[in-house]
Amino acid sequence: MAKLTSVKSKLITGRDLKVRLKTAKGRKISSTRWLERQLNDPFVKQAKIEGYRSRSAFKILELNKKFGFLVPGARVLDLGCAPGGWSQIASKKTNSAFTKKNKKRGFVLGVDFNYVAPIEGVQLATLDFLKDGASQRVKELIGQKVNVVMSDMAPPSSGHKKTDHLRIINLCEEAAYFAFEVLESGGTFVAKVLAGGAESGLQKILKKNFTIVSNVKPMSSRSDSSEKFVVAKGFRL
Ligand SMILES: C[S@@+](CC[C@H](N)C(=O)[O-])C[C@H]1O[C@@H](n2cnc3c(N)ncnc32)[C@H](O)[C@@H]1O
């Protein structure tokens, strides 16, 4: 596994030559820029090398390195898991595929409204977490309480910053209230939020229910994105 710092240093030193694209017929300038950014992103390249399905895998790796919540034997719920980068990491770290016979076996359930191709050691459910009956279904699938609830859920971009911010905070609050129902005592809640003002309510709720609440911007999170992550540890039952 490549060191996160070495991936980042490539980004800083620009050791890799930058790919520049000419605008193509029928392709919008914004799409050309997006493609250019993907081609020049060291985390995208590294994700390909490591076999991770998304560059987001590096974000959960960084958060886990700092807070250590994905451990062998842990039971994990991954909300908004497509295409599967976080679930891949959760499977590896919790030993849910039981590849290390000398360590405890974990459990990972990944949920998304998009189809996710099978991942070793991960149970997958295709459902909209906001729909009626979804939380009951997820409870049935996990069967018992979990140690970690993580949510990288993000609604499709509306192009309107304020609307996107409110939608993501809503998803995050839904995930947090669900976490209160399914977390073991001492459990961890991790979620993506967007900086933009409305997240203070969420912070208050979390501070009431967890011993430590931290806000982190991993170095693998694009600096021009308002995304950050909240990590709440020590769930109080
Ligand atoms: C940024 S992606 C997650 C990336 C993922 N963590 C990974 O590492 O591959 C956000 C995901 O949230 C999902 N999502 C958004 N709203 C959802 C909802 N209401 N129910 C289920 N999934 C949702 C989207 O379908 C999308 O796949």
Side-chain angles (χ1 to χ4, degrees), residues 53-54 56-57 78-87 111-114 127-130 152-156 171 192:
R53 295 184 185 177
S54 64
S56 300
D78 181 10
L79 296 170
C81 68
W86 282 28
S87 284
V111 171
D112 204 292
F113 52 47
N114 286 321
L127 54 87
D128 183 341
F129 187 66
L130 295 181
D152 196 17
M153 282 191 290
L171 277 170
K192 171 162 70 189

Side-chain angles (χ1 to χ4, degrees), residues 140-196:
E140 282 162 15
L141 289 169
I142 53 179
Q144 52 177 294
K145 293 208 167 185
V146 294
N147 307 102
V148 181
V149 173
M150 49 192 202
S151 165
D152 196 17
M153 282 191 290
S157 171
S158 68
H160 186 255
K161 244 183 165 181
K162 189 113 191 137
T163 306
D164 288 344
H165 175 72
L166 293 172
R167 279 189 187 159
I168 208 166
I169 290 295
N170 176 45
L171 277 170
C172 208
E173 285 183 0
E174 290 290 332
Y177 282 114
F178 187 67
F180 299 159
E181 292 180 42
V182 299
L183 271 181
E184 291 274 13
S185 171
T188 301
F189 175 69
V190 180
K192 171 162 70 189
V193 289
L194 295 184

Side-chain angles (χ1 to χ4, degrees), residues 30-49:
S30 58
S31 308
T32 303
R33 294 285 161 267
W34 180 87
L35 205 57
E36 224 171 53
R37 200 173 64 170
Q38 288 292 101
L39 290 169
N40 288 307
D41 185 330
F43 289 104
V44 172
K45 284 182 197 165
Q46 197 58 37
K48 271 201 191 118
I49 294 167

Side-chain angles (χ1 to χ4, degrees), residues 113-131:
F113 52 47
N114 286 321
Y115 168 77
V116 180
I119 302 169
E120 206 192 351
V122 179
Q123 203 177 314
L124 293 161
T126 308
L127 54 87
D128 183 341
F129 187 66
L130 295 181
K131 281 257 168 83

